[in-house]
Amino acid sequence: MSQIPPPLARMDTLLTYPMPFPIKVMGAKSDALVVAVAALAQQFDPSFDRASIRLRASRTGKYLGITLTITATSRTQLDGLYRALTSHPLVQVVL
């Protein structure tokens, strides 16, 4: 009888590294948010191209959505980046 791996382990087996991996970040609209998110992306992916960042303001203009694509090389890298982003005081949501 085989054991079923935990959900995260199964998800990891679906990914083939290295691969482009989009991440969406949201927070209150500010230039500091964009700078912080770009710096964290660069920290976890030295090849990250800041020119690839896509910005989208909310309908009211109060919030900013940031889409960035890093080159994912491992589950450990992705977990570290998500932890760094979600713990940043300017970041409200990470998808």
Side-chain angles (χ1 to χ4, degrees):
M1 181 182 239
S2 67
Q3 289 185 338
I4 298 173
L8 290 178
R10 281 185 282 167
M11 183 183 142
D12 199 38
T13 60
L14 298 175
L15 303 177
T16 304
Y17 301 108
M19 65 176 285
F21 194 87
I23 299 172
K24 294 189 181 215
V25 179
M26 290 171 264
K29 186 177 179 183
S30 77
D31 290 338
L33 174 64
V34 178
V35 171
V37 167
L40 287 171
Q42 188 81 50
Q43 179 183 337
F44 285 87
D45 175 13
S47 68
F48 175 70
D49 181 7
R50 291 173 185 247
S52 69
I53 293 175
R54 299 293 171 244
L55 305 176
R56 183 172 179 211
S58 66
R59 192 170 12 114
T60 62
K62 184 176 178 182
Y63 298 98
L64 184 63
I66 303 170
T67 301
L68 53 106
T69 301
I70 66 159
T71 300
T73 57
S74 70
R75 180 68 189 208
T76 302
Q77 174 208 31
L78 291 174
D79 289 345
L81 179 54
Y82 271 93
R83 275 193 293 277
L85 288 168
T86 57
S87 66
H88 195 282
L90 295 175
V91 173
Q92 294 178 342
V93 177
V94 179
L95 304 172

